[in-house]
């Protein structure tokens, strides 16, 4: 599978005009959940959607086991139905979609992560394969602030240190790491490498950063040294991978 194509399938931020007034139209329901209309999403043809069968969501024991399929919006009839392209994922053959399946559908427009439930009404195979979905009746969403941090547990290597290093939270601008060996003082330059799993594709990231903060944990005897790292000199592809790692974790939380 081409990595670049898969990255683009995960997220393609839209222009500012696409979500300029979405937040002004949102309202709160009785459960204090942010509710949106279909128009608020401002979906366009070929926009990427993340599709998750609810049966798999219920089976998953941890976020790392969650399976998402990537599809494109190819059309819709307001209040009647959606048309999406054939979903793609590494496990699509293992867990094929069937008519009648209930789906969680996610869409991120660059500011807001939307989620709604839909059902597979019909699977069309000719002249090409695509799916008819029921029209969403309830669309929820959450605003994603800039440099959103998410909790993770990722093994990493820093410089030539052989001691274990664990990334405990990460954003597109930096990370918190825990180790049992000193990395240096404030503004010390470091090289950090780690592997991420984006929808069954493992990719290794090698980033540069500076130490921004330091403290000692009195609850973590294994790795008591905690460092705040700011990423520097990020390349476009590295930034995109970090964005999609954050996006994937937010979907896992939202699910």
């Amino acid at each position: 599978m081409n990595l670049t194509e898969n990255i683009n399938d995960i997220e393609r931020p839209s222009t500012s005009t696409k979500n300029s007034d979405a937040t002004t139209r949102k309202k709160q329901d009785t459960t204090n959940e942010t509710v949106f209309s279909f128009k608020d999403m401002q979906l366009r043809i070929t926009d990427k959607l993340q599709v998750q069968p609810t049966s798999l969501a219920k089976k998953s024991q941890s976020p790392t086991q969650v399976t998402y399929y990537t599809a494109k919006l190819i059309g819709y009839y307001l209040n009647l139905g959606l048309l999406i392209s054939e979903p793609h994922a590494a496990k699509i053959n293992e867990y094929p979609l069937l008519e009648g399946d209930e789906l969680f559908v996610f869409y991120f427009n660059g500011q807001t992560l939307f989620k709604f439930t839909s059902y597979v009404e019909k699977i069309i195979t000719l002249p090409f394969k695509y799916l008819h979905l029921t029209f969403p009746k309830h669309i929820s969403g959450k605003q994603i602030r800039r440099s959103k941090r998410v909790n993770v547990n990722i093994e990493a290597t820093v410089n030539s240190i052989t001691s274990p290093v664990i990334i405990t939270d990460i954003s597109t601008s930096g990370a918190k790491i825990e180790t049992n060996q000193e990395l240096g003082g404030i503004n010390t330059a470091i090289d950090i490498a780690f592997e991420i799993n984006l929808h069954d594709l493992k990719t290794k990231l090698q980033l540069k950063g500076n130490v921004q903060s330091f403290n000692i944990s009195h609850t973590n005897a294994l790795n008591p040294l905690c460092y705040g790292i700011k990423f520097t000199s990020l390349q476009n592809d590295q930034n995109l991978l970090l964005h999609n790692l954050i996006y994937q974790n937010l979907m896992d939380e939202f699910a």
Side-chain angles (χ1 to χ4, degrees):
M1 185 180 293
N2 184 282
L3 177 59
T4 303
E5 290 178 357
N6 192 73
I7 293 171
N8 289 335
D9 280 346
I10 298 172
E11 175 184 337
R12 177 172 60 79
S14 48
T15 59
S16 59
T17 56
K18 189 172 178 182
N19 47 46
S20 59
D21 59 350
T23 57
T24 61
R25 293 192 295 268
K26 67 183 179 181
K27 57 183 180 296
Q28 301 290 323
D29 67 8
T30 55
T31 62
N32 202 33
E33 185 180 43
T34 307
V35 179
F36 294 84
S37 70
F38 184 80
K39 186 177 179 182
D40 288 333
M41 292 192 293
Q42 298 189 19
L43 278 168
R44 298 177 300 186
I45 304 304
T46 74
D47 273 346
K48 305 295 192 304
L49 304 172
Q50 297 299 314
V51 178
Q52 180 191 42
T54 59
S55 58
L56 294 185
K58 294 171 183 177
K59 290 179 183 178
S60 298
Q61 299 299 311
S62 70
T64 58
Q65 298 175 340
V66 175
T67 297
Y68 296 98
Y69 303 150
T70 299
K72 290 183 180 181
L73 179 72
I74 60 176
Y76 64 87
Y77 198 119
L78 193 64
N79 297 322
L80 290 181
L82 307 177
L83 303 180
I84 66 170
S85 65
E86 179 184 11
H88 294 281
K91 296 183 179 179
I92 189 69
N93 293 326
E94 186 178 352
Y95 303 107
L97 295 179
L98 303 174
E99 292 182 5
D101 279 353
E102 182 184 32
L103 307 175
F104 290 139
V105 183
F106 298 88
Y107 172 64
F108 183 59
N109 68 2
Q111 284 189 345
T112 304
L113 177 61
F114 298 98
K115 175 188 175 183
F116 58 86
T117 300
S118 187
Y119 291 85
V120 180
E121 279 195 315
K122 193 75 175 176
I123 298 176
I124 307 299
T125 56
L126 294 174
F128 57 91
K129 193 170 183 178
Y130 64 95
L131 280 64
H132 283 252
L133 304 184
T134 58
F135 200 81
K137 295 181 178 180
H138 176 92
I139 301 171
S140 57
K142 59 168 63 174
Q143 295 292 116
I144 308 303
R145 66 177 178 82
R146 192 177 182 88
S147 296
K148 170 72 175 179
R149 303 184 79 88
V150 294
N151 294 324
V152 294
N153 185 21
I154 301 174
E155 293 185 4
T157 58
V158 174
N159 299 337
S160 57
I161 294 174
T162 57
S163 297
V165 176
I166 304 297
I167 302 174
T168 58
D169 72 40
I170 194 168
S171 74
T172 55
S173 60
K176 177 185 176 183
I177 64 177
E178 297 180 352
T179 183
N180 59 16
Q181 189 167 335
E182 292 187 8
L183 304 181
I186 302 301
N187 293 325
T188 297
I190 66 166
D191 294 310
I192 182 169
F194 54 96
E195 189 176 76
I196 60 176
N197 189 335
L198 291 175
H199 305 289
D200 302 316
L201 265 184
K202 292 184 178 180
T203 306
K204 190 169 185 177
L205 275 171
Q206 294 180 306
L207 309 178
K208 295 186 178 297
N210 290 328
V211 174
Q212 295 291 297
S213 64
F214 169 75
N215 64 74
I216 298 177
S217 171
H218 298 288
T219 58
N220 186 349
L222 185 62
N223 295 306
L225 308 182
C226 305
Y227 291 88
I229 305 299
K230 179 181 179 182
F231 298 138
T232 60
S233 306
L234 283 178
Q235 303 298 312
N236 288 336
D237 59 335
Q238 295 172 332
N239 190 52
L240 183 58
L241 284 166
L242 288 172
H243 269 95
N244 286 301
L245 175 64
I246 306 304
Y247 177 35
Q248 177 174 281
N249 276 268
L250 290 171
M251 284 197 302
D252 295 341
E253 292 176 4
F254 204 4

